[in-house]
Amino acid sequence: MCGIAGVFEVEGATGLIASILFAIQHRGQESCGAAAKDTSGRILLHKGMGLVKQVLDEEVQARLPGRSAIGHVRYPTAGRSDVLNSQPHVIELAQGPIMAIASNGDLINYGELRALLEREGVVFKSDNDAELIGRMIAMYHVRERLGIEDAIARVQRELKGAFSTVLMFRDCLYAFRDPHGFRPFVMGHLSYTGSGEPPSEGTVFASEDCGFGIIGARRLREVKPGEILRLEKGRPVVSVARAPLQLRHCVFELIYFSRPDSIVFEEPVWQARQRIGACIAAKDAALPNGDDLVAMPVPDSSNFIALGYAKAKGAEFGMGLLRNHYVGRTFIKPTQASRDEGVKQKFNPLPGYFPGKRVVLIDDSVVRGTSLRKLVSMLRRAGAKEVHVRIGSPKVIGRCFYGIDTPTAGELIANRMSEEEIRAYLGADSIRWLETADFERLLPGRRQDFCTACFDLNYMYPPEDFAAKANIPAARQAPAPAACVS
Ligand code: SF4
């Protein structure tokens, strides 16, 4: 999972990119970067390992002046964990840097396409999808003399998988998205009257529109699945909207990944989560309500699921677990030991809150179960009378190949244990999941537009394609241990 941002024709573009990336930092914390086009048309780049506030500080922003820029926060799902694989990538040809590109998603046929380009003599600097996309566009544009838009359209047809992409040239900017719409991607409008700058207005892009509020931009709409947008100075935005293929919005964005203050796939995320909580509560009649019952989220991603559950159940909503916000997401830590340590550092129970309480502990998903097990035992030690676990997604039984890093099928607890074994392993009094059939009710009339493959194995592309046919290089099949693999 990653996040992207783009700004076109607004003064102080790199500073705006840094602000958007800061707002979507939850989409990737390993590395980040920005590329800007200065007044002479040069493309300048800065990227590094670490968080936005550290990598894209004010001194860096001053070194990347201009009115157009793109940026990226990375959370690696494939490829090494190093600065070469951070984004944006600047693609250079004989005449110098011609484009900067940043993309969010994962390609199924990366290996196959990269081998094809290497046979044509193309040299890669990274093993990153965005570089491949950029080099394919450059090849079709330079060698086959296709116009940029036609080159993008051809690449869009040849790529299999998820890609929400911003592409900046010296004189224009493109935004395009895979025809299935796997990852979110939105466009906004910004009237900027920053201090000391002449007022200007322009167009902004982000993985999530929670990135717009921070810069005062207004959400316009999604970049449509399959669409190519061209932005040129002094001209209206041109949209080449192609017929989307079978839509496959990632349902996990609504359940866990996106920020609750974003509108993703036209759904306010906080509302989608409350509906999930209400749906679980509606089927939970076996657990009687009472003054001692408290619905409690594993903060923060489950807050709205727990709120929906509490409201529907008529139970108290309790924030009995405090989260330290300076600890990152535990499921993207590289080793089990660091994940365990992360749980201890991240959560602490409120003193005196739990004795005599029956707790419904609500989490967004259970993957390996190790973090949840530690939390259940933490609540019992804090005095909880009973701990009932409720999960805001169905059982995770398959890997994601479209940009979210999940463990191999063999590591997933739902593939290793029965429900009763999982309950016992977690140390819970009872456990209940959302069911895949519930998506019909949660996404009325839209169920077929969502990918739920990690819950039902209904993959857009056949899983046997992923490694064997795609000829994925070893480095991508097994990311280096230092990578943030869950
Ligand atoms: S497999 Fe799961 S995580 Fe991946 S895109 Fe589909 S729903 Fe999202």
Side-chain angles (χ1 to χ4, degrees), residues 182-183 250-252 399-402 404 451-454 459:
F182 275 105
R183 297 286 147 226
C250 170
V251 80
F252 219 2
R399 288 194 74 174
C400 176
F401 298 90
Y402 314 119
I404 287 187
C451 174
T452 51
C454 51
Y459 289 99

Side-chain angles (χ1 to χ4, degrees), residues 195-392:
S195 60
E197 307 286 359
S200 65
E201 47 187 298
T203 308
V204 293
F205 295 93
S207 291
E208 289 178 44
D209 57 10
C210 66
F212 291 165
I214 195 169
I215 58 168
R218 180 169 55 88
R219 182 189 206 271
L220 292 176
R221 65 171 175 86
E222 283 198 23
V223 177
K224 295 175 196 154
E227 187 175 31
I228 302 169
L229 290 166
R230 185 179 73 233
L231 293 90
E232 283 181 277
K233 189 175 177 184
R235 296 193 178 182
V237 177
V238 174
S239 162
V240 183
R242 288 161 207 286
L245 297 179
Q246 170 64 64
L247 290 178
R248 279 287 195 270
H249 301 315
C250 170
V251 80
F252 219 2
E253 292 273 358
L254 296 178
I255 295 169
Y256 167 72
F257 220 88
S258 295
R259 252 174 59 161
D261 52 339
S262 292
I263 298 173
V264 166
F265 314 134
E266 308 302 345
E267 300 275 346
V269 173
W270 69 275
Q271 285 182 358
R273 290 184 188 164
Q274 284 210 8
R275 289 205 301 273
I276 289 171
C279 182
I280 300 171
K283 294 180 167 185
D284 212 4
L287 183 65
N289 200 358
D291 289 347
D292 58 345
L293 192 74
V294 56
M296 182 180 299
V298 176
D300 289 321
S301 53
S302 309
N303 289 355
F304 286 93
I305 302 177
L307 198 55
Y309 180 97
K311 277 166 92 173
K313 185 91 179 161
E316 179 188 326
F317 172 77
M319 292 294 288
L321 277 173
L322 257 285
R323 181 184 159 196
N324 182 332
H325 288 92
Y326 300 97
V327 182
R329 290 188 157 186
T330 46
F331 98 104
I332 55 177
K333 298 270 182 202
T335 64
Q336 191 55 55
S338 59
R339 281 191 293 275
D340 289 350
E341 190 54 31
V343 171
K344 271 193 279 173
Q345 289 175 1
K346 193 168 175 178
F347 300 109
N348 206 28
L350 293 187
Y353 181 84
F354 288 92
K357 285 205 161 62
R358 289 182 297 136
V359 177
V360 186
L361 182 64
I362 296 167
D363 206 352
D364 50 74
S365 54
V366 54
V367 178
R368 292 185 179 86
T370 44
S371 301
L372 201 47
R373 184 184 195 201
K374 290 198 175 310
L375 281 174
V376 171
S377 120
M378 188 183 276
L379 299 195
R380 287 206 190 278
R381 280 200 310 276
K385 196 163 62 175
E386 295 174 11
V387 182
H388 303 270
V389 169
R390 300 293 178 264
I391 306 295

Side-chain angles (χ1 to χ4, degrees), residues 38 70 75 80 91 126 148 152 161 185 190 216 218 239 292 300 302 321 356 363 435 471 478:
D38 73 5
I70 63 171
Y75 148 62
R80 296 180 309 266
I91 308 290
S126 72
I148 292 292
I152 295 173
F185 196 14
L190 175 64
R218 180 169 55 88
S239 162
D292 58 345
D300 289 321
S302 309
L321 277 173
D363 206 352
E435 291 167 34
N471 186 27

Side-chain angles (χ1 to χ4, degrees), residues 29-61:
Q29 294 121 37
E30 189 210 49
S31 62
C32 61
K37 185 195 67 152
D38 73 5
T39 44
S40 63
R42 284 182 311 162
I43 293 179
L44 308 167
L45 174 70
H46 182 84
K47 53 188 184 176
M49 306 300 286
L51 301 173
V52 175
K53 288 281 181 202
Q54 288 132 26
V55 176
L56 298 175
D57 60 20
E58 287 186 4
E59 188 260 323
V60 168
Q61 292 171 28

